[in-house]
Amino acid sequence: MQTLHQLFDKESCTFTYLLIDASSKEAVMIDPVDKHLSEYLALIKQQGLTLKYVLETHAHADHITSAGDLCKQTGAQAATPVHCHITPAEIQLVDGQTLKFGANQEILAIHTPGHTAGSMTFYWKQQLFTGDTLLINGCGRTDFQSGDARALYHSITHKLYCYPDDTVVYPGHDYQGKTSSTIGYEKAHNPRLAGKSVAEFEAMMGALKLPKPKMIEVAVPANLKLGLTDIQAA
């Protein structure tokens, strides 16, 4: 059985990941998109899986999550970064917390602030699911949702770059048709970080002047409620 499915939303260029323990058929999903709920449910049914957790790397600004609906329809629990204040989630993840599923599977939550103050990366089986923290040949922007360029630089260079060079990087987005990278590749080639001091990185990020995500006013409030319309955010 395939133990990792990488799914893609073309509109927002978002990756969603389904992690599977083959022996027990328990599974975990990371960063699901609302428009693909039926596809996720069909895949889970087809594979005969029990979805245990739905994880969010942060409160997204470019799409609405289907985490709440997935949990409602499968009985899974939502697990989100505590500093993102996604209050409906049953599990509020802190730095260093682990989630266990299947026979002996373990996911480590790593607080990697910078893109947003609460952003997390998830580590599983020599693979890092980096959300918008570290992208392939790039990184997340730092100009909204308590973003902080210095914090992002530290998260990447002092936390993620501490993993072995052959650790696989699975990002939350890619806009160039790439699907994965490695820590070693990003250390050597990432144009936003390779050979750059923190001061140079801060100056570069401050000069980007990117347009505001078109869905931010709708997506963030919705994602603070796990994408559910029948509850109020705290």
Side-chain angles (χ1 to χ4, degrees):
M1 172 181 283
Q2 184 178 343
T3 57
L4 174 63
H5 291 264
Q6 184 183 48
L7 310 166
F8 189 62
D9 174 64
K10 291 182 180 179
E11 186 173 343
S12 62
C13 294
T14 296
F15 285 121
T16 297
Y17 299 94
L18 182 66
L19 286 49
I20 301 171
D21 175 62
S23 61
S24 68
K25 292 195 173 183
E26 279 195 340
V28 173
M29 187 165 275
I30 300 173
D31 289 343
V33 177
D34 62 342
K35 295 178 181 178
H36 299 280
L37 175 63
S38 60
E39 296 169 40
Y40 304 149
L41 292 170
L43 178 59
I44 290 165
K45 182 178 181 181
Q46 177 192 24
Q47 299 282 316
L49 305 176
T50 299
L51 191 64
K52 187 168 184 181
Y53 299 116
V54 180
L55 311 185
E56 296 284 359
T57 54
H58 61 294
H60 307 275
D62 54 4
H63 69 270
I64 295 173
T65 182
S66 57
D69 284 322
L70 267 172
C71 289
K72 276 189 169 184
Q73 297 200 40
T74 65
Q77 288 188 309
T80 62
V82 64
H83 298 299
C84 286
H85 308 294
I86 304 172
T87 53
E90 295 93 338
I91 301 171
Q92 298 291 316
L93 294 166
V94 299
D95 188 40
Q97 186 170 347
T98 58
L99 293 173
K100 299 181 186 299
F101 72 103
N104 56 2
Q105 305 294 328
E106 188 171 279
I107 298 171
L108 173 66
I110 309 161
H111 185 210
T112 47
H115 173 60
T116 72
S119 291
M120 277 188 158
T121 291
F122 300 114
Y123 178 74
W124 177 67
K125 294 176 64 173
Q126 291 74 57
Q127 299 161 120
L128 288 163
F129 301 87
T130 55
D132 288 21
T133 297
L134 178 62
L135 306 177
I136 301 171
N137 289 321
C139 62
R141 60 195 291 177
T142 57
D143 56 339
F144 57 77
Q145 285 186 274
S146 302
D148 184 306
R150 180 172 288 263
L152 183 60
Y153 184 91
H154 183 274
S155 290
I156 295 171
T157 62
H158 287 69
K159 291 190 174 183
L160 301 186
Y161 282 3
C162 291
Y163 282 84
D165 283 354
D166 61 354
T167 304
V168 178
V169 173
Y170 282 115
H173 298 278
D174 190 80
Y175 308 94
Q176 307 298 326
K178 298 179 177 64
T179 57
S180 67
S181 183
T182 64
I183 287 296
Y185 178 89
E186 296 306 322
K187 280 182 182 177
H189 301 291
N190 191 305
R192 288 193 175 177
L193 292 139
K196 297 229 176 15
S197 68
V198 65
E200 290 171 324
F201 181 75
E202 284 185 291
M204 178 192 60
M205 295 302 288
L208 289 178
K209 308 301 182 189
L210 297 170
K212 187 165 67 171
K214 62 182 181 180
M215 282 192 67
I216 188 170
E217 304 297 343
V218 174
V220 172
N223 291 332
L224 291 175
K225 299 185 290 183
L226 291 175
L228 297 170
T229 58
D230 57 349
I231 60 173
Q232 297 296 317

